[in-house]
Amino acid sequence: MKAIRRFTVRTVLPEALSPLEELASNLRWSWHLPTRRLFEDISPQLWEASGHDPIGLLGEIEPSRLQELTADREFVARAQALLDDLHTYLTEPRWYQQNVAADAPKSIGYFSPEFGIAAALPQYSGGLGILAGDHLKSASDLGVPIIGVGLFYRSGYFAQAISPDGWQQESYPVLDPDGLPLSVLRHPDGTAAHVALALPGGRALYARVWQVAVGRIRLLLLDTDIPENEDDLRSVTDRLYGGGGEHRLLQELLLGIGGVRAIKLLTELTETPAPEVFHTNEGHAGFLGLERISDLIGEGLSFTEALQVVRAGTVFTTHTPVPAGIDRFDGTLVRQYFSTGLLPGVAVDDVLALGAENYAGGTPNTFNMAIMGLRLGQRANGVSKLHGEVSRGMFGQLWPGFDNADVPITSVTNGVHAPTWTDSSLVALAADRLGTSDTTAADWMSPVVTDADLWNVRNGMREQLVADARRRVAAAWAEQNPTSIGHPAWMAELLDPNVLTIGFARRVPTYKRLTLMLHDPERLRSILLSKEHPVQIVIAGKSHPADDEGKRLIQKLVEFSQEPDIRGRMVFLPNYDIGMAQLLYPGTDVWLNNPLRPLEACGTSGMKAALNGSLNLSILDGWWAEFYDEENGWAIPSADSAGDGAERDELEANSLYDLIEYQVAPRFYDRDADGVPTRWVESIRHTLATLSPALSADRMVREYVERLYLPAAAAERAVSADSYAPARTLAEWKAKVTAAWPHVSVAHVESGGVDAVPQVGDELHVRAHVNLDGLSPEDVAVEVVYGRAREGDQLVSPERVELVATPGSTNPVQFTGTVPLARAGSFGYNVRVVPRHPLLASPAELGLIAVAS
């Protein structure tokens, strides 16, 4: 008989074991190995059965075992010491307190639709959520005072199973918050704190606020499954990325507007400082800026004045290089939701203008969340250098007339949290031989670590993966065949711990090309079954429930992997999650990534593999395009000039086969007298030494702090000074410049100062006459843009020299200056005029430019 309802009853621990409660409730255990070891030692069997979940473990422990532990003085002392260590970690000054200016922001809001922190809290679907979780963890380790904000999804994303015919099947296990490391934000009288959003038809959406302790970071998760909501509204936070357009809009209104309100509740009920900077991790949370504008309007500012304040303190990160990855809503639907009391003082037309695709190629009556994010954030970034370039091209319509290089979107390459993703055996090797448990700071080139040491650790990681893959495949088979006794004998011999192992795991949109490896099935078969250099491939990944094309790709791959001669060398592991990934990344010798370039924003799975000494085999896309150095793996050539997609797939698949067959596998099996592949280990050392620091999320978070958070905080303070007087002045100045700009032009350009045959060392004297239409010379920057001129007179890697207004000149105003001719070769120049104001973060910010013609 099945239960009609299920909930978790928490264990009441003896006083001597009370430290376990606090240790289990702070997710630092998920990346703190000594704490994980403590829980594992309570019961190794239950630790595995719980999926490495301390709260789940404690809920299953028999009272007799608790009594044994209470009497174990060594265990009790160990638990107390770990609790003391946690308290020290939570309170001691760290990098941010020791190295960042005293006037740095005391609080930063970080909003994301998903957070992947631990398998015990399944609130993520893929790379975006895992990245957000790693961001919080590194922020905690560095002492960066972030408040995370997301939604609590009762069914998470989905649990994946594969049917006998290879088709993905989804299920949605309902999570019980009482069995998770969550606590309710409460008022002093003990009642739960709620946020409320006004909805059309006089209705309201309420959400309770869960708190999650992620080391030093507090994460707030909003949950609508509460009695205060009408039945249909209780399901707003049912599933991550579930439902249709209106359901998604409700989720994103709650995340952005409700999230800011949740932070305001937190600051009222605790001593937490209010954020000075708000970081929008992808467009889903973009409505947060509108809530902040509404608050400022309540303080007496106009919409445009409030917009200046909000823009100054907002950082927007885009994670998608494809327009299909952006949330876009029907404008009429958005108008309906904002024609209410949702945002006091904010006119619906002002809202719609922020998300409007009112540029060449845009779709009328469409509300674009990424466009709104860019308009509400004065600072924006992509997540790798190449993705920054792609984003500047993709969103360049917002800054018409500017070259892509001038579009104000920078890049901060993603990183991964080393303590979470580095296998404990590699950590132990670093601690034992190199004196540090920080694998990103260890000297991996030191001869103290021998080739045999590294190879033994790598072999152990591969053995772990093989054992886990066998267990998962057997468990999946048993679930599909509940009445059978035992499982097929071949499953016990699935994969070989001594064979070159390639890993491939990610979401399954078509551009990631899950089945590129199957382009020539017989060629792949010969590689896998080679007698001299055998290869095995471990694959995992989920397709969005609505993406049947992605499901067909999974089915095609599963069908091939189940052929009798292949099934020992190729396996698809169902239900890709953090728990699987923590064994999959270290256990693979080579990490494969073959997206359509340049559609991979970053691709952090390969980073996690590299932190464990795995070598990458990838298209030069995402992070690999900037870090590949010919020693840390292999680059699959991109057939960008192919006639069509089919030809491109064929060329790139053949390159992939050739690399595996003629370079990767021979190097792996080239062994010395002791059975060590010394050339391969040389690449492992190089990868660990050069990539571990650069790919660390600590590097990424430090970069966000120094390049984006600190400038945003300074800008927000500057416009907010003197009761927002600078914001009012800036809004007025922008209106004046925007109104005058249609009549601003470069009337005439003169040059001289060089001989008939210009030589290096000469100076070009430039005089530009500029119509300013009532603007003053201080309102603009007039610049000579110069550089090498290529085909079509396009300037390559241009430089700029600002011209100076001639005193007393009237409209057109004369500007003069000199340009040094420092290099031989083709030379070209032009003159441009752009707005200038000390509170602008970029000359392109207003999207206004005048160029000589």
Side-chain angles (χ1 to χ4, degrees):
M1 180 179 294
K2 289 187 175 182
I4 61 170
R5 183 165 181 246
R6 178 178 173 181
F7 56 90
T8 300
V9 179
R10 291 211 181 186
T11 301
V12 178
L13 294 169
E15 180 64 28
L17 300 180
S18 60
L20 297 177
E21 183 82 28
E22 188 172 346
L23 289 170
S25 297
N26 191 310
L27 287 174
R28 187 207 183 201
W29 63 257
S30 68
W31 73 90
H32 189 244
L33 185 58
T35 304
R36 293 205 305 275
R37 292 281 187 254
L38 178 78
F39 286 113
E40 182 179 14
D41 289 347
I42 293 174
S43 171
Q45 295 77 21
L46 290 178
W47 178 246
E48 288 301 321
S50 72
H52 298 181
D53 174 5
I55 291 177
L57 166 76
L58 294 176
E60 297 296 329
I61 293 294
E62 294 292 333
S64 59
R65 177 57 177 154
L66 292 177
Q67 291 304 316
E68 289 177 9
L69 293 171
T70 301
D72 185 339
R73 292 183 179 180
E74 182 182 349
F75 182 87
V76 170
R78 189 172 151 209
Q80 184 60 52
L82 285 170
L83 182 60
D84 292 343
D85 176 75
L86 174 62
H87 289 165
T88 299
Y89 172 86
L90 296 177
T91 56
E92 68 182 355
R94 302 186 76 82
W95 171 82
Y96 190 81
Q97 290 72 32
Q98 296 172 339
N99 296 280
V100 180
D103 62 349
K106 298 296 186 288
S107 180
I108 298 157
Y110 181 86
F111 288 60
S112 178
E114 50 176 303
F115 287 91
I117 299 165
L121 188 63
Q123 299 290 300
Y124 60 93
S125 71
L128 179 67
I130 300 298
L131 182 279
D134 283 3
H135 196 108
L136 295 193
K137 292 174 187 176
S138 278
S140 175
D141 290 343
L142 295 169
V144 181
I146 279 177
I147 302 170
V149 180
L151 302 181
F152 178 70
Y153 305 97
R154 283 299 175 113
S155 296
Y157 189 39
F158 67 86
Q160 179 196 54
I162 302 298
S163 71
D165 65 354
W167 193 253
Q168 173 179 291
Q169 298 174 319
E170 303 94 24
S171 61
Y172 296 87
V174 177
L175 301 172
D176 176 14
D178 293 329
L180 299 172
L182 307 173
S183 64
V184 175
L185 179 65
R186 297 187 182 277
H187 291 288
D189 63 3
T191 58
H194 291 161
V195 298
L197 276 67
L199 300 182
R203 306 171 79 201
L205 175 67
Y206 299 94
R208 142 175 57 204
V209 183
W210 293 103
Q211 301 178 94
V212 188
V214 186
R216 298 167 66 112
I217 304 302
R218 195 188 311 242
L219 170 62
L220 307 179
L221 299 177
L222 278 62
D223 176 12
T224 61
D225 189 12
I226 55 176
E228 289 79 1
N229 279 324
E230 298 174 26
D231 287 347
D232 62 320
L233 295 178
R234 292 186 69 154
S235 64
V236 167
T237 55
D238 56 352
R239 300 174 183 178
L240 175 58
Y241 302 143
E246 187 166 6
H247 189 84
R248 289 285 289 274
L249 177 60
L250 276 166
Q251 287 187 339
E252 297 185 11
L253 289 169
L254 179 62
L255 174 60
I257 297 171
V260 174
R261 294 177 183 178
I263 286 182
K264 286 185 284 190
L265 274 174
L266 177 69
T267 59
E268 292 168 7
L269 297 173
T270 69
E271 296 181 355
T272 305
E276 294 180 70
V277 174
F278 287 79
H279 185 172
T280 308
N281 190 40
E282 205 28 281
H284 311 284
F287 289 123
L288 72 88
L290 294 175
E291 171 68 7
R292 295 171 59 212
I293 286 174
S294 177
D295 287 343
L296 290 164
I297 290 174
E299 295 184 41
L301 276 67
S302 69
F303 179 88
T304 54
E305 291 165 351
L307 178 61
Q308 311 314 313
V309 180
V310 169
R311 276 181 50 79
T314 300
V315 174
F316 173 69
T317 298
T318 173
H319 287 264
T320 180
V322 291
I326 296 171
D327 276 343
R328 301 162 77 234
F329 297 106
D330 179 75
T332 304
L333 179 66
V334 176
R335 177 178 290 278
Q336 176 187 348
Y337 272 85
F338 283 94
S339 298
T340 63
L342 178 61
L343 291 177
V346 178
V348 65
D349 286 339
D350 288 331
V351 173
L352 292 172
L354 287 171
E357 296 184 357
N358 53 353
Y359 45 76
T363 303
N365 199 35
T366 295
F367 192 90
N368 186 309
M369 294 297 288
I371 296 301
M372 179 178 66
L374 290 165
R375 286 173 172 156
L376 283 173
Q378 193 175 41
R379 287 161 181 81
N381 69 284
V383 291
S384 68
K385 286 184 178 178
L386 179 57
H387 180 234
E389 294 175 14
V390 171
S391 298
R392 287 189 286 276
M394 181 174 167
F395 296 112
Q397 310 97 311
L398 294 179
W399 297 273
F402 286 91
D403 294 339
N404 282 354
D406 292 324
V407 169
I409 301 175
T410 185
S411 63
V412 176
T413 301
N414 283 343
V416 296
H417 187 244
T420 295
W421 299 109
T422 306
D423 190 83
S424 60
S425 61
L426 192 64
V427 175
L429 178 63
D432 181 52
R433 299 299 175 86
L434 301 173
T436 177
S437 59
D438 182 357
T439 56
T440 68
D443 180 11
W444 291 109
M445 303 306 291
S446 171
V448 174
V449 177
T450 67
D451 286 358
D453 290 334
L454 278 172
W455 188 237
N456 287 337
V457 167
R458 292 291 312 155
N459 284 337
M461 294 176 183
R462 196 182 316 107
E463 289 168 3
Q464 283 181 163
L465 171 59
V466 169
D468 187 61
R470 290 173 178 174
R471 180 186 64 78
R472 289 177 183 275
V473 170
W477 191 89
E479 191 170 333
Q480 288 180 352
N481 302 273
T483 60
S484 298
I485 300 175
H487 51 75
W490 64 268
M491 290 184 182
E493 299 179 357
L494 176 74
L495 306 177
D496 184 331
N498 298 306
V499 165
L500 169 64
T501 303
I502 297 176
F504 183 102
R506 53 197 19 92
R507 292 183 302 108
V508 190
T510 53
Y511 75 85
K512 291 183 182 282
R513 297 194 295 183
L514 171 70
T515 56
L516 183 69
M517 64 183 78
L518 296 181
H519 188 81
D520 184 342
E522 294 312 309
R523 179 86 186 272
L524 178 60
R525 189 188 308 273
S526 69
I527 291 172
L528 295 173
L529 303 179
S530 168
K531 298 297 185 184
E532 184 180 8
H533 299 143
V535 175
Q536 58 195 13
I537 306 178
V538 183
I539 305 154
K542 293 180 175 181
S543 175
H544 188 279
D547 183 8
D548 282 351
E549 182 56 35
K551 294 180 185 180
R552 277 189 282 272
L553 296 179
I554 292 175
Q555 183 179 44
K556 183 178 179 182
L557 190 142
V558 169
E559 288 174 345
F560 180 79
S561 71
Q562 291 179 344
E563 294 182 14
D565 60 335
I566 295 297
R567 63 191 180 193
R569 286 282 181 267
M570 188 174 185
V571 60
F572 182 91
L573 301 180
N575 207 31
Y576 180 39
D577 65 3
I578 288 176
M580 178 194 295
Q582 287 177 318
L583 295 177
L584 178 57
Y585 301 141
T588 54
D589 300 291
V590 173
W591 194 259
L592 174 63
N593 191 24
N594 47 233
L596 278 170
R597 176 185 163 97
L599 301 185
E600 182 80 280
C602 186
T604 54
S605 57
M607 292 179 165
K608 296 166 191 138
L611 288 188
N612 290 280
S614 301
L615 308 184
N616 275 263
L617 171 61
S618 176
I619 294 286
L620 286 172
D621 201 2
W623 76 275
W624 192 234
E626 70 192 80
F627 284 103
Y628 168 64
D629 66 4
E630 300 185 2
E631 181 59 30
N632 50 21
W634 296 266
I636 304 169
S638 296
D640 298 332
S641 60
D644 56 27
E647 182 185 1
R648 180 172 183 167
D649 284 353
E650 180 179 6
L651 291 170
E652 294 182 4
N654 286 334
S655 295
L656 170 62
Y657 299 140
D658 287 345
L659 283 168
I660 295 173
E661 188 170 1
Y662 300 122
Q663 296 189 40
V664 179
R667 186 187 297 184
F668 180 85
Y669 288 106
D670 182 15
R671 311 292 172 89
D672 66 10
D674 298 319
V676 177
T678 54
R679 180 66 184 89
W680 188 276
V681 174
E682 186 180 334
S683 293
I684 292 174
R685 283 187 188 275
H686 177 80
T687 293
L688 291 173
T690 61
L691 291 184
S692 293
L695 303 185
S696 164
D698 285 4
R699 183 272 312 155
M700 173 190 73
V701 172
R702 284 194 296 265
E703 207 170 330
Y704 271 109
V705 168
E706 294 167 347
R707 293 181 49 210
L708 295 171
Y709 295 165
L710 294 181
E716 195 274 342
R717 290 171 185 167
V719 297
S720 301
D722 299 325
S723 301
Y724 305 109
R728 292 185 169 93
T729 301
L730 179 61
E732 182 181 0
W733 177 85
K734 284 186 176 182
K736 177 187 73 171
V737 171
T738 301
W741 206 260
H743 305 290
V744 173
S745 64
V746 181
H748 179 58
V749 176
E750 304 166 357
S751 63
V754 295
D755 294 331
V757 180
Q759 298 182 22
V760 172
D762 288 351
E763 288 187 339
L764 180 70
H765 297 275
V766 179
R767 181 184 296 110
H769 301 268
V770 180
N771 292 314
L772 293 181
D773 191 47
L775 297 180
S776 74
E778 289 74 26
D779 290 327
V780 299
V782 179
E783 300 169 330
V784 178
V785 183
Y786 66 96
R788 294 186 182 276
R790 294 290 188 249
E791 184 176 349
D793 293 328
Q794 188 67 34
L795 296 178
V796 178
S797 301
E799 300 178 59
R800 295 192 294 269
V801 168
E802 185 170 347
L803 303 181
V804 178
T806 301
S809 62
T810 57
N811 206 42
V813 179
Q814 179 178 287
F815 292 80
T816 61
T818 59
V819 178
L821 303 184
R823 293 182 300 188
S826 174
F827 180 88
Y829 75 94
N830 203 333
V831 173
R832 75 174 192 178
V833 185
V834 292
R836 177 170 58 187
H837 192 282
L839 293 177
L840 297 183
S842 160
E845 186 168 318
L846 273 65
L848 301 174
I849 187 171
V851 180
S853 57

PDB file of all heavy atoms in Angstrom, residues 423-439:
ATOM      1  N   ASP A 423      38.514  15.374  -6.859  1.00  0.00           N
ATOM      2  CA  ASP A 423      38.390  14.089  -6.179  1.00  0.00           C
ATOM      3  C   ASP A 423      39.264  14.060  -4.926  1.00  0.00           C
ATOM      4  O   ASP A 423      40.378  14.590  -4.902  1.00  0.00           O
ATOM      5  CB  ASP A 423      38.791  12.956  -7.128  1.00  0.00           C
ATOM      6  CG  ASP A 423      38.441  11.605  -6.559  1.00  0.00           C
ATOM      7  OD1 ASP A 423      37.280  11.185  -6.697  1.00  0.00           O
ATOM      8  OD2 ASP A 423      39.335  10.959  -5.948  1.00  0.00           O
ATOM      9  N   SER A 424      38.745  13.415  -3.897  1.00  0.00           N
ATOM     10  CA  SER A 424      39.453  13.388  -2.613  1.00  0.00           C
ATOM     11  C   SER A 424      40.814  12.715  -2.707  1.00  0.00           C
ATOM     12  O   SER A 424      41.732  13.044  -1.945  1.00  0.00           O
ATOM     13  CB  SER A 424      38.603  12.686  -1.555  1.00  0.00           C
ATOM     14  OG  SER A 424      38.315  11.351  -1.938  1.00  0.00           O
ATOM     15  N   SER A 425      40.986  11.785  -3.646  1.00  0.00           N
ATOM     16  CA  SER A 425      42.291  11.111  -3.775  1.00  0.00           C
ATOM     17  C   SER A 425      43.354  12.075  -4.284  1.00  0.00           C
ATOM     18  O   SER A 425      44.527  11.990  -3.882  1.00  0.00           O
ATOM     19  CB  SER A 425      42.182   9.890  -4.695  1.00  0.00           C
ATOM     20  OG  SER A 425      41.783  10.268  -6.001  1.00  0.00           O
ATOM     21  N   LEU A 426      42.973  13.004  -5.155  1.00  0.00           N
ATOM     22  CA  LEU A 426      43.932  13.998  -5.631  1.00  0.00           C
ATOM     23  C   LEU A 426      44.239  15.005  -4.526  1.00  0.00           C
ATOM     24  O   LEU A 426      45.382  15.442  -4.373  1.00  0.00           O
ATOM     25  CB  LEU A 426      43.381  14.712  -6.866  1.00  0.00           C
ATOM     26  CG  LEU A 426      44.376  15.580  -7.644  1.00  0.00           C
ATOM     27  CD1 LEU A 426      45.488  14.733  -8.239  1.00  0.00           C
ATOM     28  CD2 LEU A 426      43.670  16.365  -8.745  1.00  0.00           C
ATOM     29  N   VAL A 427      43.226  15.371  -3.739  1.00  0.00           N
ATOM     30  CA  VAL A 427      43.439  16.249  -2.595  1.00  0.00           C
ATOM     31  C   VAL A 427      44.403  15.598  -1.608  1.00  0.00           C
ATOM     32  O   VAL A 427      45.327  16.239  -1.094  1.00  0.00           O
ATOM     33  CB  VAL A 427      42.100  16.572  -1.901  1.00  0.00           C
ATOM     34  CG1 VAL A 427      42.333  17.396  -0.632  1.00  0.00           C
ATOM     35  CG2 VAL A 427      41.159  17.323  -2.846  1.00  0.00           C
ATOM     36  N   ALA A 428      44.212  14.301  -1.367  1.00  0.00           N
ATOM     37  CA  ALA A 428      45.076  13.584  -0.434  1.00  0.00           C
ATOM     38  C   ALA A 428      46.517  13.536  -0.945  1.00  0.00           C
ATOM     39  O   ALA A 428      47.469  13.675  -0.162  1.00  0.00           O
ATOM     40  CB  ALA A 428      44.543  12.172  -0.213  1.00  0.00           C
ATOM     41  N   LEU A 429      46.693  13.352  -2.241  1.00  0.00           N
ATOM     42  CA  LEU A 429      48.039  13.337  -2.815  1.00  0.00           C
ATOM     43  C   LEU A 429      48.717  14.691  -2.631  1.00  0.00           C
ATOM     44  O   LEU A 429      49.893  14.761  -2.250  1.00  0.00           O
ATOM     45  CB  LEU A 429      47.968  12.973  -4.304  1.00  0.00           C
ATOM     46  CG  LEU A 429      49.308  12.969  -5.060  1.00  0.00           C
ATOM     47  CD1 LEU A 429      50.244  11.909  -4.496  1.00  0.00           C
ATOM     48  CD2 LEU A 429      49.070  12.746  -6.559  1.00  0.00           C
ATOM     49  N   ALA A 430      47.978  15.782  -2.898  1.00  0.00           N
ATOM     50  CA  ALA A 430      48.547  17.120  -2.725  1.00  0.00           C
ATOM     51  C   ALA A 430      48.918  17.367  -1.268  1.00  0.00           C
ATOM     52  O   ALA A 430      49.984  17.927  -0.966  1.00  0.00           O
ATOM     53  CB  ALA A 430      47.559  18.180  -3.209  1.00  0.00           C
ATOM     54  N   ALA A 431      48.060  16.949  -0.360  1.00  0.00           N
ATOM     55  CA  ALA A 431      48.333  17.162   1.062  1.00  0.00           C
ATOM     56  C   ALA A 431      49.534  16.341   1.521  1.00  0.00           C
ATOM     57  O   ALA A 431      50.388  16.821   2.286  1.00  0.00           O
ATOM     58  CB  ALA A 431      47.095  16.799   1.879  1.00  0.00           C
ATOM     59  N   ASP A 432      49.598  15.101   1.062  1.00  0.00           N
ATOM     60  CA  ASP A 432      50.665  14.187   1.507  1.00  0.00           C
ATOM     61  C   ASP A 432      52.022  14.577   0.941  1.00  0.00           C
ATOM     62  O   ASP A 432      53.032  14.597   1.664  1.00  0.00           O
ATOM     63  CB  ASP A 432      50.309  12.760   1.102  1.00  0.00           C
ATOM     64  CG  ASP A 432      51.361  11.766   1.554  1.00  0.00           C
ATOM     65  OD1 ASP A 432      51.709  11.767   2.747  1.00  0.00           O
ATOM     66  OD2 ASP A 432      51.854  10.989   0.697  1.00  0.00           O
ATOM     67  N   ARG A 433      52.085  14.909  -0.338  1.00  0.00           N
ATOM     68  CA  ARG A 433      53.372  15.146  -0.997  1.00  0.00           C
ATOM     69  C   ARG A 433      53.727  16.622  -1.117  1.00  0.00           C
ATOM     70  O   ARG A 433      54.908  16.975  -1.143  1.00  0.00           O
ATOM     71  CB  ARG A 433      53.363  14.515  -2.400  1.00  0.00           C
ATOM     72  CG  ARG A 433      53.157  13.009  -2.384  1.00  0.00           C
ATOM     73  CD  ARG A 433      54.278  12.289  -1.617  1.00  0.00           C
ATOM     74  NE  ARG A 433      54.022  10.871  -1.507  1.00  0.00           N
ATOM     75  CZ  ARG A 433      54.369   9.978  -2.431  1.00  0.00           C
ATOM     76  NH1 ARG A 433      54.967  10.379  -3.530  1.00  0.00           N
ATOM     77  NH2 ARG A 433      54.095   8.702  -2.257  1.00  0.00           N
ATOM     78  N   LEU A 434      52.729  17.497  -1.219  1.00  0.00           N
ATOM     79  CA  LEU A 434      53.015  18.904  -1.492  1.00  0.00           C
ATOM     80  C   LEU A 434      52.629  19.826  -0.343  1.00  0.00           C
ATOM     81  O   LEU A 434      52.811  21.033  -0.431  1.00  0.00           O
ATOM     82  CB  LEU A 434      52.276  19.334  -2.771  1.00  0.00           C
ATOM     83  CG  LEU A 434      52.659  18.523  -4.034  1.00  0.00           C
ATOM     84  CD1 LEU A 434      51.760  18.905  -5.207  1.00  0.00           C
ATOM     85  CD2 LEU A 434      54.121  18.753  -4.391  1.00  0.00           C
ATOM     86  N   GLY A 435      52.079  19.256   0.722  1.00  0.00           N
ATOM     87  CA  GLY A 435      51.834  20.039   1.918  1.00  0.00           C
ATOM     88  C   GLY A 435      50.659  20.977   1.866  1.00  0.00           C
ATOM     89  O   GLY A 435      50.562  21.905   2.661  1.00  0.00           O
ATOM     90  N   THR A 436      49.743  20.781   0.933  1.00  0.00           N
ATOM     91  CA  THR A 436      48.565  21.628   0.844  1.00  0.00           C
ATOM     92  C   THR A 436      47.388  20.814   0.341  1.00  0.00           C
ATOM     93  O   THR A 436      47.536  19.938  -0.518  1.00  0.00           O
ATOM     94  CB  THR A 436      48.788  22.829  -0.094  1.00  0.00           C
ATOM     95  OG1 THR A 436      47.564  23.592  -0.181  1.00  0.00           O
ATOM     96  CG2 THR A 436      49.175  22.389  -1.498  1.00  0.00           C
ATOM     97  N   SER A 437      46.217  21.104   0.875  1.00  0.00           N
ATOM     98  CA  SER A 437      44.998  20.465   0.372  1.00  0.00           C
ATOM     99  C   SER A 437      44.315  21.323  -0.687  1.00  0.00           C
ATOM    100  O   SER A 437      43.273  20.948  -1.219  1.00  0.00           O
ATOM    101  CB  SER A 437      44.029  20.187   1.525  1.00  0.00           C
ATOM    102  OG  SER A 437      43.699  21.392   2.189  1.00  0.00           O
ATOM    103  N   ASP A 438      44.912  22.466  -0.990  1.00  0.00           N
ATOM    104  CA  ASP A 438      44.397  23.340  -2.053  1.00  0.00           C
ATOM    105  C   ASP A 438      45.048  22.928  -3.367  1.00  0.00           C
ATOM    106  O   ASP A 438      46.175  23.313  -3.671  1.00  0.00           O
ATOM    107  CB  ASP A 438      44.707  24.803  -1.728  1.00  0.00           C
ATOM    108  CG  ASP A 438      44.161  25.757  -2.778  1.00  0.00           C
ATOM    109  OD1 ASP A 438      43.592  25.291  -3.785  1.00  0.00           O
ATOM    110  OD2 ASP A 438      44.321  26.979  -2.598  1.00  0.00           O
ATOM    111  N   THR A 439      44.342  22.146  -4.147  1.00  0.00           N
ATOM    112  CA  THR A 439      44.923  21.622  -5.381  1.00  0.00           C
ATOM    113  C   THR A 439      45.165  22.706  -6.418  1.00  0.00           C
ATOM    114  O   THR A 439      45.952  22.512  -7.344  1.00  0.00           O
ATOM    115  CB  THR A 439      44.005  20.542  -5.989  1.00  0.00           C
ATOM    116  OG1 THR A 439      42.696  21.092  -6.188  1.00  0.00           O
ATOM    117  CG2 THR A 439      43.903  19.337  -5.054  1.00  0.00           C
TER     118      THR A 439
END
